[in-house]
Amino acid sequence: MTYVIVKNEEVGACYYRQKDKDFTKDLMAASKWPTVSRAEEILAELSKTGAQELAIEETAKLKQQVKQEQVVKKDTELREYAHQLLTAKDREFYAELERVSRFLAASPYLLEEISAKISQEDGTVLQDLLHTIELGDYRAYEGLALLKDLRASRKKRRYYKDRQQAVNYLLTKTNTGQVNTTSDKARVALSKLGDLQVERNYNYRNSGLQAKYAKLLEKQPVQSWVQLFTRLRKG
């Protein structure tokens, strides 16, 4: 469960984005805090700057409201798209049909390629780095290099995982290994793709690590790797 800071304006609800020190209409891009008390701390800081009409809301409830609005909007867009196809010239109509068909036909191979990339990062790369960290005798600058490579590997893995999830929204794999899709699956994909294009939050499983490192995930700018390690030592 997470919380956001909401500001009601004439254009509608806006949500605080700590990285920019500003408000956005995009709930997915808003900063989110794991506890009400942490959100209250940020709210108190904002109030000192003169900001008014601020409130703390549970992210899940707001997401549900936004999704309901998006369903109505998406249905309207799909009807307009269908009308455009109906009235399109033959060349445009069949070009669009070929584009969609080509993607669906290639999707099983796409998933195979993505799975191989994820396995590479989870297997070979991650294990090499973790064993080097565990067994290696390295100096500070070499430790920074290891951390940088580990982070790069996890970001690459996330890149492929997001694409895997996006394709899986659209497809269903049968017991025989065949990959199928329906218009209903396509609707699900359209409704969820936006969730993959926002800042990712993480809920710690270990309370000790959460107390020590959670502030590092609040998207505060870090000027250098040296500064990052300085902050970790202070924590």
Side-chain angles (χ1 to χ4, degrees), residues 204-216:
Y204 282 87
R205 303 175 187 180
N206 183 285
S207 59
L209 292 176
Q210 178 177 354
K212 194 172 184 180
Y213 297 124
K215 288 187 177 181
L216 295 180

Side-chain angles (χ1 to χ4, degrees), residues 136-189:
D137 181 14
Y138 42 83
R139 286 160 290 199
Y141 76 91
E142 293 168 322
L144 288 171
L146 277 169
L147 177 60
K148 187 175 181 179
D149 286 342
L150 178 60
R151 184 176 186 178
S153 174
R154 302 317 284 172
K155 282 183 173 291
K156 186 180 294 185
R157 176 186 180 276
R158 174 52 53 193
Y159 173 91
Y160 290 117
K161 284 289 288 186
D162 284 348
R163 278 151 182 74
Q164 183 185 57
Q165 187 172 351
V167 177
N168 282 333
Y169 284 149
L170 181 62
L171 305 173
T172 299
K173 195 168 186 178
T174 66
N175 294 333
T176 60
Q178 292 181 320
V179 177
N180 299 323
T181 189
T182 65
S183 61
D184 287 340
K185 293 288 288 185
R187 279 181 172 272
V188 170

Side-chain angles (χ1 to χ4, degrees), residues 109-120 160 164:
Y109 308 108
L110 177 60
L111 285 175
E112 287 179 9
E113 293 287 336
I114 291 174
S115 295
K117 295 292 186 182
I118 294 172
S119 295
Q120 170 73 8
Y160 290 117
Q164 183 185 57

Side-chain angles (χ1 to χ4, degrees), residues 57-116:
E57 298 285 353
E58 187 180 328
T59 308
K61 293 180 180 178
L62 293 175
K63 280 185 177 180
Q64 186 61 34
Q65 295 175 9
V66 171
K67 284 184 178 181
Q68 290 174 351
E69 294 171 359
Q70 289 176 340
V71 167
V72 175
K73 181 181 178 182
K74 188 63 64 179
D75 188 65
T76 301
E77 292 174 349
L78 289 174
R79 287 182 179 277
E80 291 176 354
Y81 173 67
H83 178 72
Q84 291 172 2
L85 287 178
L86 177 64
T87 58
K89 296 180 179 179
D90 282 354
R91 182 176 179 178
E92 296 171 351
F93 176 84
Y94 289 110
E96 180 70 1
L97 185 61
E98 181 179 356
R99 185 182 67 84
V100 175
S101 300
R102 185 181 297 273
F103 174 82
L104 293 175
S107 57
Y109 308 108
L110 177 60
L111 285 175
E112 287 179 9
E113 293 287 336
I114 291 174
S115 295

